[in-house]
Amino acid sequence: MLDDLNHAIDWQAEDAAHHFHPFTDHKELHQQGVRVITSAEGVYIHDSQGNRIMDGMAGLWCVAAGYGRAELVEAAASQMRRLPYYNAFFKTTTEPTVLLAKKLASIAPAGFEHVFFACSGSEAVDSALRTARVYWQTLGKPEKKIFIGREYGYHGSTTLGASAGGMKDMHRQAGDLPNFAHVLPPYWYGKGGQMSPEEFGLYAAREVEKKILELGPEHVAGFIGEPIQGAGGVIIPPETYWPEINRICRQYDILLIADEVICGYGRTGRMFGTDYFGIKPDMMTTAKGLTSGYVPLSALFLNNRVADVLINEAGEYFHGFTYSGHPVSCAVALKNIEILETERLVETATAKGALLREKLNEAIGDLPIVGEIRGVGLIGAIELTADKRTRKFFAKNGRVGALCRDHCIANGLMMRATRDTMLFSPPLIISEEEVARFAAMAKTAFEQTLRDVRDEVAE
Ligand code: PXG
């Protein structure tokens, strides 16, 4: 059907006429024209102009198992044939939902035995924040309701999530509920000044402690943080950071919420970012890689401390979604986790990520605009700089990042820019040859970017 339509429909015009996009300046989009992605296979996406582009972002950090996985399609189809939908509200459940909850409990860090399902990362975060407040209310401490997040944190787009996140533009657009505070992110490259990364990691963690003391621990419900801040620029905390955050949350009796929406399910080379950094969370929010993006699904993990109170003391919990525990999504997630395990995609992400960074270092590491190439497993970033000795940013932040992103895409490599930081998180199935190709395309694109801004760059 779509092949017939391709001749009859002007996709760009119809999209501009009727589709209101997420996170988009529509005037700018309509001037440039939208890119229509038509099909995909492995690590490549195809557009309606006939371009084949390597997806260095795994969609939006989610397509871990790669495109075109017939097993996932079959898992969805067979579940739809058997039972396409039933809810989990009225003392009912479905088989894939139970199996997935059991499976997730088995791969979660110790102490996590319960999961709540929703459809998106945003809903998981929103649910975590509500759950934290219900937890404290149930324990007779309703005044513990402030959440501490971080600048450049991203926790989704519900109003609670936008408020927890540290994106100023989102706060400005009705995303700034009361009872949220924000602190410095552990972004050594951009904010560490003359401190060593280890010193800065401790310093950034103690900003959380300072904020707790300023607000009064008796008012603080929780701290929320991504193990690695993704959308905010793949900010990888120095190794001193998370152990200190563990200590602080424990000392002041603050719930620790690890937002694993990007890190979860193998991105870091461990099943969860929490495993990689030794974080001791009370709740974990996950989505994206849970189904490799084939169908929407998120899972909020509750540790036993939280689950015991919610289950045994809180009475009815007035929260949930029509599609909580959707059987089709759960069936796909089960098959997706099976793929992660049988193809050892989590374990191999460490070596593949190291190879990718090595190839990138060879290809572009010496360019005067490349300030840092960093990563953990298959998530990483490249800092663009006007002076690599001093880590100076370009004037008008975001301009050079956008240029570089456009060059990458024109050369067949999908990358994302946050400010002037280039981000990557390719599908976990990426092969060694594809890693080499990734670096080769980046080389051309970064050299073109350098040519564009040469006058602004210190030699
Ligand atoms: N938490 C984190 C850490 C995320 O990265 C969400 C929550 C929200 O998930 P949903 O499924 O509601 O989108 C995310 C989502 C980007 C980008 O530009 C990142 C996300 C979403 C859209 C764009 O990097 N992350």
Side-chain angles (χ1 to χ4, degrees):
M1 182 197 86
L2 276 174
D3 286 337
D4 293 343
L5 279 176
N6 253 330
H7 302 291
I9 289 200
D10 180 340
W11 298 104
Q12 288 191 335
E14 298 293 355
D15 191 81
H18 304 296
H19 182 190
F20 193 75
H21 287 246
F23 279 86
T24 294
D25 176 332
H26 284 79
K27 271 198 189 149
E28 192 184 291
L29 172 70
H30 297 164
Q31 276 158 13
Q32 291 170 358
V34 74
R35 182 185 299 276
V36 184
I37 307 300
T38 50
S39 64
E41 190 60 38
V43 296
Y44 289 97
I45 52 175
H46 305 135
D47 70 18
S48 62
Q49 312 281 322
N51 296 305
R52 179 172 180 257
I53 303 171
M54 184 186 283
D55 188 0
M57 281 304 298
L60 266 180
W61 322 82
C62 50
V63 189
Y67 296 96
R69 303 295 309 226
E71 315 92 300
L72 298 181
V73 178
E74 186 44 43
S78 62
Q79 182 57 42
M80 278 189 192
R81 279 189 289 266
R82 183 175 161 86
L83 177 71
Y85 173 76
Y86 203 73
N87 71 69
F89 277 51
F90 303 126
K91 301 188 170 69
T92 48
T93 191
T94 71
E95 292 156 333
T97 319
V98 178
L99 291 177
L100 181 61
K102 177 172 156 66
K103 178 71 193 172
L104 292 179
S106 79
I107 63 172
F112 283 92
E113 279 161 43
H114 293 87
V115 291
F116 170 84
F117 291 112
C119 296
S120 65
S122 300
E123 287 175 355
V125 166
D126 197 290
S127 302
L129 299 177
R130 283 193 77 185
T131 302
R133 286 198 178 141
V134 174
Y135 172 85
W136 291 120
Q137 281 168 10
T138 307
L139 292 183
K141 297 182 177 175
E143 66 287 356
K144 263 173 102 68
K145 59 184 173 196
I146 301 177
F147 292 100
I148 299 175
R150 300 172 296 178
E151 290 160 37
Y152 299 152
Y154 187 74
H155 301 297
S157 213
T158 66
T159 308
L160 277 180
S163 303
M167 302 296 190
K168 294 211 165 56
D169 292 332
M170 296 178 79
H171 293 166
R172 202 161 40 76
Q173 294 179 336
D176 59 347
L177 291 171
N179 294 315
F180 286 91
H182 302 89
V183 295
L184 179 77
Y187 181 26
W188 174 79
Y189 179 90
K191 298 187 184 275
Q194 300 303 313
M195 280 185 243
S196 71
E198 292 70 30
E199 285 165 351
F200 181 69
L202 282 180
Y203 176 81
R206 287 178 190 153
E207 290 291 293
V208 177
E209 185 168 35
K210 256 203 255 165
K211 183 59 80 179
I212 292 170
L213 292 171
E214 176 193 318
L215 298 164
E218 69 282 10
H219 296 127
V220 181
F223 171 77
I224 181 165
E226 306 151 74
I228 294 172
Q229 285 173 257
V234 183
I235 297 169
I236 303 170
E239 57 186 40
T240 48
Y241 183 77
W242 279 113
E244 188 67 356
I245 295 286
N246 285 339
R247 189 233 357 130
I248 292 165
C249 289
R250 207 171 314 126
Q251 181 170 338
Y252 299 102
D253 203 16
I254 305 299
L255 292 175
L256 173 47
I257 304 168
D259 186 350
E260 294 263 5
V261 167
I262 285 178
C263 289
Y265 309 106
R267 194 51 48 214
T268 64
R270 299 293 300 272
M271 190 55 86
F272 297 98
T274 285
D275 300 320
Y276 181 85
F277 289 106
I279 306 171
K280 302 276 176 235
D282 296 294
M283 287 184 251
M284 299 197 305
T285 48
T286 72
K288 296 194 190 271
L290 172 56
T291 58
S292 284
Y294 278 59
V295 287
L297 183 67
S298 60
L300 162 64
F301 289 71
L302 309 176
N303 74 0
N304 293 336
R305 166 189 182 184
V306 174
D308 285 350
V309 170
L310 269 286
I311 291 169
N312 297 318
E313 298 177 43
E316 181 168 351
Y317 187 19
F318 297 96
H319 179 79
F321 306 101
T322 302
Y323 303 121
S324 283
H326 196 291
V328 176
S329 300
C330 290
V332 172
L334 277 165
K335 184 54 80 175
N336 179 62
I337 293 171
E338 187 184 312
I339 291 174
L340 293 181
E341 289 181 338
T342 55
E343 298 181 12
R344 304 191 67 245
L345 294 178
V346 180
E347 294 86 339
T348 53
T350 303
K352 285 197 262 187
L355 181 67
L356 176 55
R357 291 191 297 282
E358 183 189 317
K359 296 273 176 209
L360 284 170
N361 260 312
E362 283 166 23
I364 59 174
D366 288 336
L367 294 180
I369 50 167
V370 172
E372 180 179 76
I373 299 173
R374 61 173 176 263
V376 168
L378 277 168
I379 177 169
I382 304 164
E383 294 281 1
L384 294 166
T385 181
D387 185 344
K388 69 196 285 166
R389 274 164 309 221
T390 59
R391 316 201 300 264
K392 186 180 157 207
F393 290 107
F394 285 99
K396 202 160 175 291
N397 215 319
R399 176 182 49 105
V400 184
L403 269 176
C404 185
R405 182 203 54 213
D406 291 348
H407 284 310
C408 286
I409 298 172
N411 282 287
L413 176 62
M414 185 57 80
M415 277 235 221
R416 184 186 171 325
T418 285
R419 300 179 300 281
D420 290 333
T421 310
M422 304 305 298
L423 314 182
F424 54 89
S425 90
L428 302 184
I429 49 129
I430 192 168
S431 68
E432 291 189 7
E433 297 78 68
E434 286 160 345
V435 161
R437 241 197 114 226
F438 183 125
M441 290 188 284
K443 180 172 165 63
T444 315
F446 278 66
E447 285 173 354
Q448 289 167 340
T449 309
L450 171 60
R451 234 168 283 148
D452 292 344
V453 297
R454 167 121 354 244
D455 297 350
E456 304 169 49
V457 180
E459 280 304 322

